[in-house]
Amino acid sequence: MKTLYRGGLTLLLALSLAACDTLQDDNVAALSEEDAQAVAEIMAQSLADRSDGLMADLYDATATFDENGMYFLAGDVASKNDDAGLNSRYWRGMRHGYEVDYDSSTGTHTLHFLHEVKRPGFQKSIETLLAYIFKDTEGQFIARPRAEKDRIASIDFEGFRKGSIAHRTPSGGERSSSFERRATWHVEGLEAASDTIAFAGEQEMEGTRQYVDRSDQKVEQEFQAQLVTDGRVLILKPSATDSLEHLTFGTLIYHVRMVRRTGDQEVVREAEGTIELNGDGSALMRFFGVPQTYRIFLSTGDVERGS
């Protein structure tokens, strides 16, 4: 059995709306339009299903599985080992080397696979390691989540994803990144009597990005990004054809630190704020102490400047 990466998460669990004073004034004032856009793109990668972000966690955490593959709670069809049926979401791609294991002493199911997509304008290769503990309403472990899916009431989920993504933006720009992402989520409300599924937890990501800025200079960027739920994130119970992006509501608090290198210049920036999941397929991103807002589309990770 492969061991899930358990490096201690360093998320700022005490972060709250009052945290707008935690950034130094000169750092806040120095957050330019380009800096804010870069932060929004980092958070979009942390969130989007296309980049195996938070939404991929929500899909995977609520999936059931057996030796043949994964079956999502919502989506076009049940996901088999190659995801062939989910062609409306091309970024789901192929899951190679799918392995599943179960430790009856701890109730832990472990899934491992390589998630790959190769298409014009979009490529990714992400090694994925997921761990689940399924429990019924009595707190008993569930050994066969697919066969006993009607018994599932709660899930403790951990995910570790490591890999790279390259894509072309709607405006024609090229973006590439490599990253590691760790997440821990607790899921409740899966029993039939509940109308909503509740998530709470945290995510931490670090990595590098490369892109060309508005003055046609090549930019290399290192980043660390943290997300934590502010209260519970709620998902309305879906039908088989619903998308979770259009049923998810709640607030996340984020913190980003990035080091940008352009030529021989190096600039460090930090930002933090809130992300509102709106239940309409998008999230509204706000900054503490900075007026910019951005809308992030949870399926694709596309970013639009707000008012």
Side-chain angles (χ1 to χ4, degrees):
M1 176 179 174
K2 295 180 175 63
T3 303
L4 186 69
Y5 182 91
R6 295 180 183 273
L9 293 175
T10 58
L11 290 173
L12 304 180
L13 296 176
L15 200 63
S16 68
L17 292 175
C20 59
D21 294 328
T22 64
L23 293 179
Q24 296 179 1
D25 290 341
D26 58 345
N27 201 14
V28 171
L31 196 66
S32 67
E33 183 74 22
E34 184 174 347
D35 292 332
Q37 176 75 24
V39 171
E41 291 181 2
I42 290 169
M43 295 318 304
Q45 185 172 326
S46 294
L47 291 169
D49 187 38
R50 185 172 67 175
S51 53
D52 287 21
L54 169 70
M55 289 311 307
D57 277 354
L58 299 193
Y59 276 101
D60 287 348
T62 55
T64 56
F65 49 83
D66 55 24
E67 296 292 340
N68 296 317
M70 301 179 72
Y71 306 80
F72 294 119
L73 186 65
D76 296 337
V77 296
S79 171
K80 298 296 185 181
N81 196 20
D82 62 358
D83 275 348
L86 290 170
N87 52 20
S88 66
R89 293 177 178 237
Y90 64 85
W91 54 83
R92 289 290 175 89
M94 304 288 287
R95 298 189 172 194
H96 300 291
Y98 177 87
E99 298 177 12
V100 59
D101 195 8
Y102 179 58
D103 182 347
S104 59
S105 65
T106 63
T108 303
H109 299 261
T110 306
L111 270 65
H112 178 265
F113 52 85
L114 180 64
H115 196 185
E116 289 189 317
V117 181
K118 294 182 179 180
R119 290 174 60 97
F122 182 82
Q123 295 184 36
K124 73 177 174 182
S125 178
I126 300 175
E127 183 178 5
T128 302
L129 190 60
L130 310 177
Y132 302 74
I133 299 176
F134 298 91
K135 293 180 182 180
D136 62 17
T137 56
E138 303 299 322
Q140 299 300 308
F141 295 148
I142 296 174
R144 299 182 303 158
R146 179 61 184 167
E148 301 177 275
K149 59 186 178 70
D150 292 338
R151 288 184 54 212
I152 299 172
S154 67
I155 304 170
D156 289 309
F157 173 89
E158 294 186 32
F160 174 62
R161 306 177 195 262
K162 177 180 180 180
S164 61
I165 296 176
H167 74 283
R168 187 177 300 114
T169 67
S171 62
E174 300 288 341
R175 299 283 191 271
S176 64
S177 65
S178 59
F179 66 90
E180 294 187 8
R181 184 184 295 123
R182 295 162 290 276
T184 303
W185 307 108
H186 178 70
V187 189
E188 295 181 342
L190 292 159
E191 63 273 18
S194 175
D195 294 328
T196 58
I197 301 168
F199 271 79
E202 55 196 24
Q203 179 203 96
E204 183 179 71
M205 181 174 74
E206 60 185 28
T208 61
R209 301 173 71 231
Q210 296 83 37
Y211 61 95
V212 176
D213 66 13
R214 296 173 182 176
S215 59
D216 291 329
Q217 289 186 296
K218 184 178 179 180
V219 177
E220 295 184 357
Q221 187 181 73
E222 296 178 2
F223 64 86
Q224 296 174 322
Q226 302 165 321
L227 280 173
V228 60
T229 53
D230 185 22
R232 298 189 300 173
V233 170
L234 298 179
I235 301 176
L236 303 181
K237 282 287 182 70
S239 68
T241 57
D242 286 328
S243 68
L244 297 187
E245 291 90 331
H246 289 81
L247 298 172
T248 303
F249 302 83
T251 303
L252 305 164
I253 299 175
Y254 71 87
H255 179 269
V256 172
R257 183 181 190 273
M258 58 187 186
V259 181
R260 187 180 72 231
R261 298 183 180 91
T262 307
D264 58 357
Q265 293 186 333
E266 181 176 293
V267 178
V268 179
R269 294 287 184 265
E270 293 191 50
E272 54 194 27
T274 61
I275 294 172
E276 296 288 339
L277 304 172
N278 298 317
D280 64 356
S282 72
L284 184 62
M285 177 179 168
R286 296 183 174 92
F287 296 82
F288 291 140
V290 179
Q292 291 101 320
T293 62
Y294 288 85
R295 187 167 301 279
I296 296 170
F297 293 90
L298 297 174
S299 290
T300 63
D302 292 337
V303 175
E304 288 185 356
R305 175 73 159 88
S307 57

